[in-house]
Every structure is written in C-alpha cells, then in structure tokens.
Amino acid sequence: MALPETSVHGRRTNSAAPLRAASRTGLRSVTPETLAATRYARQYDGAVRITRTAALRVSKLAAAAMGLKSAKIAMIDQLFACSKPADWQGVAPPIVWPSNARLARGMGVSVSTMKHHLNGLVRAGLVAYRDGSTYQRSGRRDADGNIVEAAGIDLSPIAVRFEELTALVDEAELAAKQAQQLAHRRTVLRKQVKAVIDAAARDGLSGAWPSLTERLEAMNAMRASDNIARSELIGGYEVLLLEVEAAYDMAYREANPVSAVSKNDPLTSLQTSEPDSGNPPPTGVSARGIGRTGSFGASNDARPPVLPFKISVPSDLQRISLELVARACPSYGHMAPGALASWKTFKQAAPEVAAALEIDRETWDRSVATLGWELAATALAVTSEKARSGKVFRPTAYLRSLARRGEHGELHLSRSLFGLLETRIAPDIRAARADLPAAEAFPETGSIYFTNWAEKVRRHAPGPTPDVDLVADAFRRWARSKDIRLDAPGIDKVMIGFCRKWRFGTF
C-alpha cells in the first residue's frame, strides 16, 4: 500500500531504511525531534495570542539563529502564505493544509526536496504534523473564516514557544553585534601592530622585528569560531601591541641618545586642573613602596595630592593626581563606592576591584610585587576603565602586560590616564577652545590644556599623541636653556618646530 505524499520523512543521507519501513507499515516515522514538535503542538490552548506578523518574524529569525538554511526559511514563508491573521487569535490551532505540489511549486523545487525542507522545520520544533485518518491535508472554515477542523501542518509550536524563540533571537542578535564589534576591534589592533612594525623598519631600528612579524601573521591567519575565541584572540593582539610599542620605544632611545638636556633632569608637575590653578611639587613616592610622607598620598594640602611614580626610566618621572585618576577612570569608583575619596581608600579598594574584574589573585599579587601597591592600583584603574568601555576584553591579560612593561621600564600610566580623560571630555575641550583667542605668548606656568597651544602639540608632535602639559613643561625648560623668551615674536613657530622634534625622554 502506497503512503500519501505527506507521510514521507526521508533524510538525504541514510534514508533508504526508514523510508522502506514507512512504506510497509503505512505509519509516519517517529523520531525524538518529531515527538518534541508534537508535544509542543499539544500544549496549544489558545491562551497565547500573538499576531501572524509577529509569529512569522520570530519563526524566521529563530530559524536563522538555529542555523537553518535559506531554503527552510523560505518554506516558512510558504506555510504562512496559507495562514490568515484570524488563525492566530482563536482557540483552534493555526493549521494550514496546502498540497505538496503547491508548496514545491511556490519554492521552485521538486516535491522530494520540499519534503526534506519541511521535515527540517519539524525537527527544529517550529511546526508539527497534525494528521487525519488518511494523512491527507484538508480543512474547513466557518462563515467568519475561523478554522473549524483541519488536518495538515500545525504552526502552533511557534505560538507555544514564542517567548523561548524571542529570547533565542535576542541572544543571536546580541552575539552577532558582539561579533561585529570584536571583528572591528581585531582590525584596529592588527593595523596598529603593523604600523609600529613598519615604523621600526622605516627608522632602521634594531630588534626582534622578524619574530614579532611572524606572530602577527600567525594571529592574522587564525579563525575564531565564536565570540569567546574572538575575545581571546583580541587579548593576544592587545598583548602583542604592548610588546611592539615597548620594543619600538626602547630601540628608538638606543638609536637616539639624549643630547639636548640631561636625562636626569626631572619633569615639572603635570597639571590636571584649571589653567590658573596648580599643584605644588609633591613628596616622592617610590614605585616599590611608600615614600617619605610615610603613607600613600598623605598630604597636609587641602587640594588633591599629586604623587610622582618613579619608573625605571630616569627621565620618565610621572606625576599622577587623584583628581586625574577620578576623572579618567570613574568606573573604579563605581566598582568600589568611596574608593576615590582618598589615596588610602583608593589603594584599599584595589583587591575588590580586581575581584570584580575577575582578575585572579596570582596576577594581582604579581602586579603588586612588580609595580608596588601605588602603581598596581593605578594600572588596575586604567584596566577597569578600558574594560568598561570595551577596549579591553581580557582584564587579567591586560594587567599582566602592564606589569611586564613596568618590569622593563616601559610603563607610562600618565599617558593612558590623560588619553582616557581626553576621550571623556573631548567635546567640552573643543567647545572651550572654540571660544578662546589665539595665544600670543606661551604661558609661563600652568596648564595649556584649554588653550590653542594644546592643539599645536596634537597637530605637530609625532604619534602617539603625547600629553600636552608634559610637552609644555619640556618646552619651557628648553626655552630657558636657550635664553628664548616665551613672549618673543614668532614663539608659536618655535613651539611648532619643538613639537615636530619631540620624542618622549629627549627633552
């Protein structure tokens, strides 16, 4: 006895035996997937009222999220073309009864191919078979167009699973968006690493550039299958970028020894407040421990203290204020409320912030041992802010790389802090500069952050863009050593020439 065409449940592989069994028994073949779809259909009681449009949208998006191909998604369109909006608002389940020939004709495929795609939707739990006694599809509507009785293809699993399918779609869309962001981040990092390596070749700098290039090419050839693998790959790019930048800085200093000013000439204090205000020179704090003040950040001044962190590079005497950290890294205070009230609370909150970032205890202890509590806490603040903004996907690896740079004397946290601060307040800075007249004389003291001089530094200094106040202090010292008045005619051209020759640690 031959079965009706709707009863064939064949797969394209290993399908001969099931088909022969179905032919002998005259029954529809049963699998765990078809049973699950049937159970979903039995749960329909008309309580869930959704529109036909919403059901069509979520079913197609969910099918794509499940990995179903375009032909099966086209099958959903064919089935919904046979359904009416009223079918989704009544007590009777939304059943359609088109013939196999009609569905195959609508898709432009053979009947056997159409059956394969229809069975795929059943196995996915999106539709179920609602069979009559003869397996023939048929249905009847009343005068108002409502389904009275029907046997065919039951679309009610979509209504029963509507919330589940909607969550699946949302998750897939979020994963797709994250994948796009990760792909963009990977492209940016890849170009940044390549730019530094090319700059080293252009400047003729010595170093392990061939091995670094091989690492970059190997990472470029990697293919990530999911967002977790993509995040791990991006973490590798971030570490490689830090390594090539450190190698470039070291090779450049070796090839360009200091000549204009003694390497041991200390830098004057960096300003983070308004141009007319300043912070007095602070008492020194070693990167390995507590300075002469006796406690981290202790000061009798009512203004926020400015702490110098001495790194192994003699000319790189960094000065970082609590105000700068608070403005550049507010996420540190969000993770540990009250942490930015004082230097003491800032340091005490570091383990809590590290735990919130899921940084393991071994990495944190090693960072403290390498940098000291003060620098380690500051590095953690930078890590927390970059992790919050999506620039760092693996905080543990990033903090570990900062500690490694500190070991080699290549850690410049003030650059990171001023870069983060500039990103946050860039719109305000641009608006403030637009209202300021061009400066005639270079300021004798204070910050140039809100003057046109800052724009000259950014425009003419070699990349990466240095801290403008760091360049300003160096320019003042250089001008004094050359007996050049800061209000001399053409001082702006002198400043531009100084910026073009700027290299960190040279002046």
Side-chain angles (χ1 to χ4, degrees):
M1 180 180 66
L3 281 177
E5 59 185 5
T6 56
S7 65
V8 180
H9 255 251
R11 299 195 184 203
R12 290 191 172 181
T13 59
N14 301 323
S15 60
L19 284 175
R20 286 196 298 270
S23 298
R24 288 195 301 268
T25 64
L27 302 175
R28 189 182 298 281
S29 60
V30 176
T31 66
E33 292 86 356
T34 60
L35 281 177
T38 302
R39 292 190 184 101
Y40 285 129
R42 289 172 184 165
Q43 296 175 26
Y44 184 81
D45 56 5
V48 179
R49 300 293 180 89
I50 59 175
T51 64
R52 175 183 176 278
T53 301
L56 175 60
R57 175 185 176 277
V58 77
S59 60
K60 293 175 67 175
L61 293 176
M66 294 175 184
L68 300 186
K69 303 302 182 182
S70 58
K72 292 180 176 60
I73 297 176
M75 171 62 74
I76 295 176
D77 282 322
Q78 292 298 316
L79 296 176
F80 271 80
C82 303
S83 176
K84 296 183 177 182
D87 296 346
W88 299 87
Q89 302 298 316
V91 176
I95 299 174
V96 294
W97 50 91
S99 66
N100 285 342
R102 174 181 172 180
L103 292 175
R105 187 169 56 252
M107 295 182 64
V109 297
S110 65
V111 171
S112 61
T113 301
M114 181 280 302
K115 292 177 182 178
H116 169 75
H117 296 314
L118 180 58
N119 289 331
L121 296 182
V122 175
R123 289 192 295 270
L126 295 177
V127 301
Y129 290 115
R130 182 69 67 110
D131 295 323
S133 60
T134 63
Y135 289 104
Q136 295 292 336
R137 297 176 193 150
S138 62
R140 184 169 61 87
R141 298 178 182 274
D142 61 17
D144 296 326
N146 298 318
I147 297 176
V148 176
E149 57 180 358
I153 303 169
D154 194 341
L155 307 182
S156 62
I158 298 172
V160 173
R161 303 179 63 192
F162 186 77
E163 292 186 2
E164 175 192 347
L165 296 177
T166 300
L168 177 63
V169 169
D170 292 342
E171 182 179 349
E173 291 178 348
L174 177 60
K177 183 177 180 180
Q178 290 176 342
Q180 184 179 17
Q181 293 173 343
L182 291 171
H184 174 73
R185 177 63 176 160
R186 179 182 181 179
T187 300
V188 171
L189 289 170
R190 174 177 57 79
K191 291 182 178 180
Q192 289 176 339
V193 174
K194 187 66 167 59
V196 176
I197 294 176
D198 290 346
R202 178 199 64 207
D203 298 339
L205 302 180
S206 60
W209 304 113
S211 63
L212 292 172
T213 301
E214 290 179 1
R215 286 175 57 189
L216 175 62
E217 291 176 350
M219 294 176 67
N220 291 342
M222 293 180 181
R223 295 293 178 264
S225 59
D226 53 36
N227 285 347
I228 295 178
R230 293 185 185 97
S231 298
E232 293 177 350
L233 185 57
I234 285 175
Y237 274 107
E238 290 172 343
V239 172
L240 181 58
L241 177 60
L242 293 173
E243 291 182 11
V244 297
E245 287 179 345
Y248 180 89
D249 289 342
M250 183 176 296
Y252 189 90
R253 281 197 298 273
E254 292 176 354
N256 299 272
V258 177
S259 58
V261 184
S262 171
K263 276 189 175 183
N264 294 322
D265 184 18
L267 301 178
T268 56
S269 174
L270 294 177
Q271 304 294 326
T272 62
S273 54
E274 294 298 327
D276 294 335
S277 63
N279 291 315
T283 307
V285 176
S286 169
R288 292 286 180 179
I290 298 176
R292 293 187 297 273
T293 57
S295 62
F296 183 46
S299 173
N300 295 325
D301 200 314
R303 289 170 291 190
V306 181
L307 300 180
F309 295 143
K310 185 176 181 181
I311 306 176
S312 59
V313 179
S315 62
D316 187 23
L317 186 63
Q318 306 293 329
R319 288 171 169 83
I320 301 173
S321 71
L322 182 62
E323 179 187 3
L324 172 60
V325 176
R327 294 173 66 189
C329 307
S331 61
Y332 192 93
H334 297 161
M335 293 182 180
L340 298 173
S342 67
W343 285 110
K344 182 178 180 180
T345 57
F346 174 72
K347 184 175 71 172
Q348 290 174 341
E352 179 182 349
V353 176
L357 292 172
E358 297 183 354
I359 295 175
D360 59 82
R361 184 58 182 268
E362 180 183 355
T363 299
W364 171 243
D365 290 343
R366 183 172 181 178
S367 300
V368 174
T370 302
L371 305 174
W373 270 95
E374 297 82 5
L375 275 180
T378 306
L380 182 63
V382 172
T383 303
S384 68
E385 188 62 27
K386 290 193 174 184
R388 180 201 63 81
S389 62
K391 296 179 180 178
V392 169
F393 293 91
R394 297 178 63 197
T396 298
Y398 186 74
L399 181 62
R400 193 181 297 128
S401 66
L402 292 181
R404 186 160 48 247
R405 293 182 69 183
E407 284 184 305
H408 296 89
E410 302 297 332
L411 186 61
H412 310 299
L413 289 176
S414 67
R415 291 185 182 181
S416 299
L417 290 170
F418 276 105
L420 291 170
L421 176 61
E422 183 175 355
T423 300
R424 293 180 59 81
I425 65 175
D428 297 334
I429 293 176
R430 287 194 295 267
R433 288 201 194 107
D435 298 333
L436 292 175
E440 297 181 357
F442 192 85
E444 293 283 350
T445 60
S447 173
I448 65 170
Y449 226 86
F450 294 93
T451 70
N452 287 327
W453 294 102
E455 193 59 36
K456 289 181 172 59
V457 174
R458 293 184 174 87
R459 185 178 303 159
H460 298 288
T465 303
D467 170 49
V468 295
D469 286 336
L470 185 66
V471 177
D473 289 336
F475 177 68
R476 292 182 183 113
R477 291 198 311 277
W478 177 83
R480 285 196 297 269
S481 69
K482 301 295 184 180
D483 291 329
I484 299 176
R485 298 195 334 269
L486 297 180
D487 60 350
I491 191 64
D492 56 335
K493 296 180 180 180
V494 177
M495 172 61 173
I496 291 173
F498 179 87
C499 291
R500 288 173 176 169
K501 298 179 180 179
W502 166 263
R503 284 291 185 277
F504 189 78
T506 302
F507 297 96

